[in-house]
Amino acid sequence: MRRLALLLAALIMDAPSMAQPIVIAHRGASGSRPEHTIAAYKLAIEQGADFIEPDLVMTKDDVLVIRHENEISDTTDVADHPAFADRRTTKAIDGKLVTGWFVEDFTLAELKTLRARERLPQLRPRNTIWRDEPIATFEEALALLKMAGRPVGIYPETKHPSYFASIGKPMERALVDALARAGLTEASDPVFIQSFEVSNLKVLRGLTRLRLVQLIEGSGAPYDQGEAGTGLTYAGMITPEGLKAIAGYADAIGPYKLLIEPRDASGKTLSPTSLIADAHSARLLVHPWTFRSENFFLSAGDRIGTRPGGHGDAAAEFRRFFDYGVDGVFSDFPAEALAARTGG
Ligand code: G3P
Ligand code: CA
């Protein structure tokens, strides 16, 4: 019944089809281009991804830009810029000391002088030839949707929202306003807003009708619920009671994929858990992460050869998860997810 209802909703709203699992281009087509660059998003759109996924942080002049962390030395050339050498510092971020260069200490104009770098050069050496991609703003990613020539959705994630609120840069209103300027305001629009934290999702629930996603790690607790709060751990979230609590403020969960298909110590897959059925019983969609095609990330049975960066049988993994009944997948290789979805 749920699939039928989703099919009807998709037909009515002219959005990416929800009748089949959605393919979310994780950080863009980040297996093939440096993550979170316009090049990565453009390739994902060309390949046919249903959604592109930007992770969001905020600049000194309060602009939402796209990076996986607020510390940017792993994914930009900031360390090669003598003009910014004195910005290197150490901060407590979500309860951990981090040393490097931080987005919130740079204006957008300063950030635009940097260039993105491949995060995983050992596994993805071909991506290192892309050396001229600037840091992208959220507005630039939204503009890409309008140029796609077909419905493409956006799946933004707030990164370190409690931390940014603590330094006077709350992200929620800026995010909702940017989406509204792009005409995206309704639950039927092709948008999911995601977070590992809880408080910001609850704030967002009061600000927008757009769909919200509670991300769930394999262990630990959300920063604002564990070390900084008293709420649910991630293990607590995947109980029927925890899922019911999530359904009070969110529309979907984004679990670590091994919470659905665990592995033993040797990397072999074990029988799937009841998480998908339990979440569906709570009327929550299920979008697990992250599907990556390199042997390094695959289960023992899906690996081909022994090179960590060699590609294994990613299609087999996609097919299993589609059979389990997921409502979407986050993948660094959206083209491979799409091929598996159509039976390839
Ligand atoms: O947002 C889903 C997935 O992207 C969560 O992991 O660390 O890649 O943002 P991360
Ligand atoms: Ca993310």
Side-chain angles (χ1 to χ4, degrees), residues 26-27 53 55 68 157 159 194 196 215 289-290 330:
H26 181 247
R27 312 184 196 173
E53 193 238 0
D55 293 324
H68 183 264
E157 178 183 350
K159 285 294 189 189
Q194 44 166 342
F196 283 107
L215 296 174
W289 48 270
T290 298
F330 287 86

Side-chain angles (χ1 to χ4, degrees), residues 156-206:
E157 178 183 350
T158 54
K159 285 294 189 189
H160 314 297
S162 291
Y163 167 75
F164 275 101
S166 77
I167 59 170
K169 295 180 178 298
M171 306 169 89
E172 296 84 11
R173 173 54 71 186
L175 170 56
V176 166
D177 286 353
L179 289 162
R181 284 194 295 278
L184 300 166
T185 58
E186 301 301 321
S188 57
D189 287 331
V191 179
F192 289 94
I193 302 174
Q194 44 166 342
S195 182
F196 283 107
E197 294 190 20
V198 174
S199 312
N200 79 119
L201 289 175
K202 290 183 174 175
V203 169
L204 283 161
R205 186 70 299 153

Side-chain angles (χ1 to χ4, degrees), residues 155 157 194-198 201 213-222 232-239 242-247 249-250 252-260 275-276 279 284-290 330:
Y155 207 124
E157 178 183 350
Q194 44 166 342
S195 182
F196 283 107
E197 294 190 20
V198 174
L201 289 175
V213 184
Q214 177 66 62
L215 296 174
I216 303 176
E217 282 274 16
S219 61
L232 287 172
T233 63
Y234 291 120
M237 285 184 177
I238 59 172
T239 65
L243 293 165
K244 193 173 163 197
I246 291 170
Y249 60 87
I253 58 169
Y256 178 45
K257 68 182 180 184
L258 300 200
L259 293 173
I260 292 172
L275 179 55
I276 295 174
L284 291 164
L285 298 168
V286 182
H287 299 159
W289 48 270
T290 298
F330 287 86

